[in-house]
């Protein structure tokens, strides 16, 4: 009976150690770049905003119609409130469709 208690205690400690050891700590979030100036062009807004979350070549490797770029930018805009304004989203969409749009 006593051995059973010791075994259960050891298993509980091992399970706790396993849970603590396997818990993934999130790396600190990168500091947000300064808000893009209202007169900033689409490329600079794109580079400032989009590169915080993923490498830019992930986006620039694609060719999409303007409507698809608008949809993608809208989806990204919804990921974090107030990160990309509607004006900035429009400029990013214009830049992406001009540079990486399907003709």
């Amino acid at each position: 009976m006593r051995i059973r208690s010791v075994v259960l205690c050891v298993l509980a400690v091992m399970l706790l150690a396993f849970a603590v050891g396997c818990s993934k700590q999130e790396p600190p979030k990168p500091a947000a770049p300064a808000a893009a100036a209202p007169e900033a062009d689409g490329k600079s807004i794109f580079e400032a905003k989009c590169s915080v979350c993923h490498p830019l070549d992930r986006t620039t490797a694609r060719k999409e119609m303007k409507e698809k770029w608008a949809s993608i930018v809208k989806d990204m805009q919804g990921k974090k409130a107030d990160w990309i304004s509607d004006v900035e989203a429009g400029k990013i969409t214009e830049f992406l469709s001009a540079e990486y749009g399907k003709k």
Side-chain angles (χ1 to χ4, degrees):
M1 191 77 143
R2 187 172 183 164
I3 293 174
R4 182 188 227 168
S5 298
V6 170
V7 168
L8 287 175
C9 241
V10 168
L11 285 175
V13 169
M14 288 175 58
L15 181 60
L16 180 63
F18 178 74
V20 169
C22 290
S23 65
K24 180 181 176 188
Q25 292 186 347
E26 231 177 274
K29 299 277 183 197
E39 66 278 352
D41 66 337
K43 181 179 180 182
S44 63
I45 297 170
F46 167 73
E47 290 170 348
K49 300 288 185 163
C50 302
S51 67
V52 171
C53 297
H54 51 79
L56 297 179
D57 62 347
R58 177 178 175 188
T59 302
T60 58
R62 301 173 74 158
K63 297 280 187 198
E64 300 291 350
M65 299 295 290
K66 184 175 182 176
E67 295 78 20
K68 180 65 176 175
W69 280 128
S71 172
I72 292 168
V73 171
K74 182 87 171 160
D75 287 345
M76 296 300 114
Q77 192 178 13
K79 301 266 183 192
K80 184 177 177 186
D82 300 326
W83 177 246
I84 301 173
S85 70
D86 290 338
V87 172
E88 291 171 331
K91 289 181 178 184
I92 292 170
T93 300
E94 288 300 320
F95 165 71
L96 290 173
S97 62
E99 295 294 320
Y100 306 102
K102 285 184 181 176
K103 305 289 185 215

